[in-house]
Amino acid sequence: MRESRLKLTAGFAALIIVSVLFIVPFLWLLRSSLMDLSQIFIMPPQWIPKPFHFENFINALTVVPFGAFFKNTVIIVAGVLLGTVVSSTVAAFGFSRIRWKGRETVFAILMSTMMLPAAVTLIPSFIGWKTLGFYDTFYPLIAPAYFGGGIFNIFLLRQFYMTIPQDFDEAALVDGANYFQIYWRVILPLSRSAVIVVALFTFLGSWNDFMGPLIYLKSDTRFTLALGLQMFQGSYTAQWDLLMAASTVVILPCIVVFLIGQRYFLEGITLTGLKG
């Protein structure tokens, strides 16, 4: 009994230490956002701002058009989220619940594309979108989500769908349902946790995406929040106080979304690994 308590205590202590290591950068960001520029890098570090400069947030959100950046980001994230959830759930349904010739071979080929670095397809993709006339538009950032939603999301959902007994499909077919009705009325309601996991991954990835907007967007009026943060950094200096304040505001939606969906996130991650 005593040995078990010691192991439990040691486990909790290790978790606390790791948690502190992860939370320190966020605390540094938060304290820097409330400091004057001259206080941020003094040594030894000053953790409590004296005084608190709450005006940093107002200045950060007004010195650059953050309202327009926020609107652009929401449009892109909403489009990507909808496309990814719809297309990945449909594709995963086809790879897990419908038997067709060559299914496993096609899925294996798609899985192999995960080993392909994104940099390899960057230039051909850019040339293709520019040739189509979609450079400096949101289409290159949104449209790909409607063509499968990403092989990782398909794999994640497929693993979950395979844990649902085939008896449900057979019972629905006997009752006269078609495959779309099975997908919509049987599989989706039972896979809510896995779908929420995909939605969370997609939201976080799209919200924080920097490379995509940097490559495809040229006009300042179409910039996203990730690109907007770069405006606080010049060639030789940076407005670190405003940059920290703006960064705090940008990551808040990510924290809120994760806190709301963390129960489904943990449940979905656990369940999607039950069966290969």
Side-chain angles (χ1 to χ4, degrees):
M1 180 66 70
R2 183 177 180 181
E3 184 179 354
S4 299
R5 290 181 179 179
L6 288 175
K7 289 182 179 179
L8 186 62
T9 303
F12 277 115
L15 290 175
I16 292 173
I17 293 173
V18 173
S19 300
V20 169
L21 293 177
F22 276 95
I23 202 173
V24 164
F26 177 74
L27 294 178
W28 181 274
L29 173 69
L30 186 60
R31 52 77 77 175
S32 300
S33 67
L34 295 170
M35 282 184 169
D36 183 74
L37 184 58
S38 60
Q39 297 177 302
I40 295 178
F41 298 110
I42 60 174
M43 296 300 293
Q46 179 181 335
W47 285 96
I48 301 178
K50 293 180 182 179
F52 287 86
H53 291 273
F54 292 102
E55 67 275 8
N56 286 346
F57 290 93
I58 299 176
N59 296 334
L61 299 179
T62 55
V63 71
V64 296
F66 252 71
F69 298 161
F70 179 82
K71 178 182 176 182
N72 296 337
T73 304
V74 170
I75 292 173
I76 294 173
V77 170
V80 172
L81 192 61
L82 177 63
T84 299
V85 170
V86 172
S87 60
S88 62
T89 52
V90 171
F93 180 81
F95 280 117
S96 61
R97 315 301 294 188
I98 303 176
R99 290 185 174 86
W100 44 279
K101 186 177 181 180
R103 183 183 70 173
E104 301 303 324
T105 302
V106 173
F107 184 73
I109 294 173
L110 289 177
M111 286 294 296
S112 67
T113 62
M114 294 181 66
M115 298 183 291
L116 189 67
V120 174
T121 60
L122 183 60
I123 294 178
S125 298
F126 175 79
I127 294 175
W129 286 111
K130 189 174 183 179
T131 303
L132 292 173
F134 292 139
Y135 177 61
D136 198 25
T137 68
F138 295 155
Y139 292 109
L141 303 174
I142 298 176
Y146 290 83
F147 294 90
I151 184 57
F152 175 76
N153 296 325
I154 295 174
F155 169 74
L156 198 67
L157 290 168
R158 174 182 175 272
Q159 296 303 102
F160 185 88
Y161 289 172
M162 292 179 67
T163 65
I164 301 175
Q166 288 284 347
D167 296 345
F168 292 157
D169 298 35
E170 296 170 0
L173 288 172
V174 169
D175 289 339
N178 54 37
Y179 281 115
F180 176 78
Q181 291 173 323
I182 295 174
Y183 158 78
W184 184 256
R185 297 185 178 182
V186 179
I187 301 300
L188 277 187
L190 292 175
S191 57
R192 182 179 62 174
S193 298
V195 174
I196 290 177
V197 170
V198 170
L200 280 172
F201 280 146
T202 303
F203 175 85
L204 295 175
S206 181
W207 184 271
N208 296 314
D209 184 26
F210 177 78
M211 185 60 67
L214 179 65
I215 297 298
Y216 293 109
L217 300 180
K218 178 182 178 182
S219 304
D220 294 353
T221 55
R222 293 186 174 91
F223 277 8
T224 60
L225 290 172
L227 290 181
L229 292 177
Q230 288 294 108
M231 291 187 172
F232 295 106
Q233 294 182 273
S235 300
Y236 303 101
T237 184
Q239 297 171 286
W240 291 108
D241 50 345
L242 301 186
L243 177 60
M244 296 298 182
S247 300
T248 301
V249 175
V250 170
I251 67 173
L252 279 178
C254 298
I255 296 175
V256 172
V257 168
F258 180 79
L259 290 177
I260 293 175
Q262 64 175 333
R263 180 169 68 89
Y264 300 103
F265 176 80
L266 296 175
E267 180 181 348
I269 286 293
T270 301
L271 294 176
T272 49
L274 286 178
K275 185 175 181 179

